[in-house]
Amino acid sequence: MATNNDVKNTDRIRSEVFRSKIVTADEAAELIHDGAAIGFSGFVGAGYPKAVPAALAKKAESLHAKGEPFQVRVYTGASTDHALDGILAESDAVSFRTPFSTDGSLRRQINSGHVGYIDTHLSHLAQQVEEGFLDHLDFAVIEISGIDEEGHLIPSTSLGNNKTWLEQADKVILEVNEWQPEALNGVHDVYYSVDVPPHRKPIPLVTAHDRIGRPWLEVDPEKVVGVIETEGGDRNTKFTPLDDVSKAIGDNVVRFFQQEEAAGRLPKGTLLPLQSGIGNVANAVLAGLERAGYKGLECFSEVIQDGMLALIKSGTVSLASATALSLSPDAVDEFRDNIDFYNKHIILRPQEISNNPELIRRIGVVAMNGMVEADIYGNVNSTHVAGTKMINGIGGSGDFARNGYISIFLSPSEAKGGKISAIVPFVSHVDHTEHDTMVVVTEYGFADLRGKTPRQRAEAMIAIAHPDYRDQLRDYFERACARPNAGQTPHILPEALSWHQRFLETGSMRADD
């Protein structure tokens, strides 16, 4: 295996112009100055650079030992890996981070205020950089799987914001990762006609199957200051087996779809393009679709996980469009062994296309995303614990929930061994308002909130809460409604967040605890 600082002239670099730029990771890191704004590749643990972050962390530690400052401002597509976010945070090399991160070390620094953090919708970030709302990028550090004879960059397992980072950065460092299959060439669809207002044109994508771009990324060779050869795998998280709660949630989503098909609100048998969030609950929903016998479904989503791969293989899904492949080790082997088959059914796009609000609305995507908690009126918190501590970020859930044909939020009804209820009187942080929430699903059923008044919504939400919390919720709601001038959306303001306060003080939301 090649180390981060080996130079071995791989045949993945077929352009002489780029071969002349081969350097080590340490040499590339020396080019990056204190305070630099860097656009890194990477989306949900896929396609992040493997060599430069470690070299930057080493550089930071060396400079800090001498009393010299060194921190960078980190932009990505979404989450990366501990090998990027974590080691940079632990070497005190990060001053700012956006948009979405799952690393524990970085999370602690964000919540302590040591690292500045902006949580933003994934579809917005590239445009905000292009429009000058945020930092101008000094560097782009992008993983690719190869460079062809014409100098085209063959993307790896994620596209994320790579196109924009390559365009916007003053200088570019490329990591050519031999671990990534060469057969990825052709699976990508990179659209190059997204402009900022007033020059923006309609995006000519009509169905999830459409290809509207080219299978490579482009970069001005004059901006490339280093090409590094690497050989390392992505963050291949192994998913735990589906439990009864997750399966019940998946079955309840299927029951909702069947209701919609019977009512003529979804095409029978084929539904509409589906978006599914990440994690075990999302995989359980996909498994429920397979058990229900669906065939030929389309997906227009952000990430292809194990469950999606299984559905493609079984014929449940005919086409999956996303911006990243985030697979467990076993699924990586399955994908590699059958890559020619999967390439016929998968399209990877930049996240400004995969998460584009106009496309999501126009093609009628059905959005399914996890949540931390929802309140009795349908407001959803998907990012914070007890209103203050960031978990990961909003990701793309807002892009899809706000613009989807149907927006569905999913969660087990309780957490922490029953100490926390996922349905509360009022959420401690609002990411998705009641106006964007159509359906909430737990293992106890689904609450269809469409066309319901606030008081009707509350009744539906209480019905899908965990039985241990229903009486508590009903007591709060009935007392709120009985107050003089209860209003359109009844609340008891001194008690609205009392469940969260009780949890902070006692470790449980249960009144009897």
Side-chain angles (χ1 to χ4, degrees), residues 315-358:
T316 303
V317 169
S318 63
L319 188 284
S321 170
T323 195
L325 286 165
S326 183
L327 306 173
S328 72
D330 290 343
V332 167
D333 292 340
E334 163 65 23
F335 179 75
R336 285 172 173 268
D337 291 344
N338 299 283
I339 195 166
D340 290 338
F341 166 76
Y342 288 113
N343 279 1
K344 298 173 185 176
H345 300 276
I346 291 173
I347 302 174
L348 297 184
R349 313 180 192 274
Q351 72 191 62
E352 61 185 339
I353 300 298
S354 68
N355 290 57
N356 185 280
E358 190 272 331

Side-chain angles (χ1 to χ4, degrees), residues 188-316:
H188 308 88
D189 184 51
V190 185
Y191 182 62
Y192 267 94
S193 296
V194 177
D195 298 307
V196 298
H199 307 293
R200 179 163 293 157
K201 302 176 182 64
I203 299 170
L205 187 144
V206 179
T207 75
H209 284 79
D210 292 348
R211 286 184 173 272
I212 58 175
R214 58 202 71 174
W216 59 71
L217 290 160
E218 296 180 353
V219 67
D220 179 357
E222 294 298 316
K223 296 204 305 184
V224 178
V225 296
V227 178
I228 302 161
E229 301 159 296
T230 66
E231 189 176 1
D234 285 334
R235 184 192 76 198
N236 304 126
T237 303
K238 189 172 182 61
F239 291 100
T240 56
L242 300 182
D243 58 19
D244 290 340
V245 170
S246 296
K247 290 178 181 176
I249 293 171
D251 290 341
N252 286 333
V253 171
V254 169
R255 286 200 306 110
F256 170 74
F257 286 158
Q258 291 170 340
Q259 167 194 284
E260 296 303 285
E261 290 175 295
R265 292 186 290 261
L266 282 175
K268 197 167 184 62
T270 58
L271 306 177
L272 284 170
L274 303 176
Q275 176 260 339
S276 177
I278 59 176
N280 279 350
V281 171
N283 275 323
V285 171
L286 297 177
L289 293 170
E290 184 173 26
R291 288 196 303 274
Y294 284 96
K295 295 291 183 183
L297 302 178
E298 291 184 0
C299 294
F300 191 84
S301 194
E302 303 164 287
V303 180
I304 293 172
Q305 294 190 120
D306 292 23
M308 192 77 74
L309 220 60
L311 265 62
I312 292 171
K313 190 171 185 178
S314 70
T316 303

Side-chain angles (χ1 to χ4, degrees), residues 8-50:
K8 64 188 188 70
N9 289 313
T10 174
D11 62 3
R12 293 287 187 97
I13 305 171
R14 301 190 176 109
S15 163
E16 289 301 323
V17 172
F18 288 92
R19 289 175 75 89
S20 68
K21 297 175 182 285
I22 294 176
V23 297
T24 67
D26 286 343
E27 290 169 338
E30 283 305 307
L31 301 173
I32 297 175
H33 58 273
D34 176 46
I38 307 174
F40 288 99
S41 61
F43 195 102
V44 191
Y48 59 91
K50 313 297 190 292

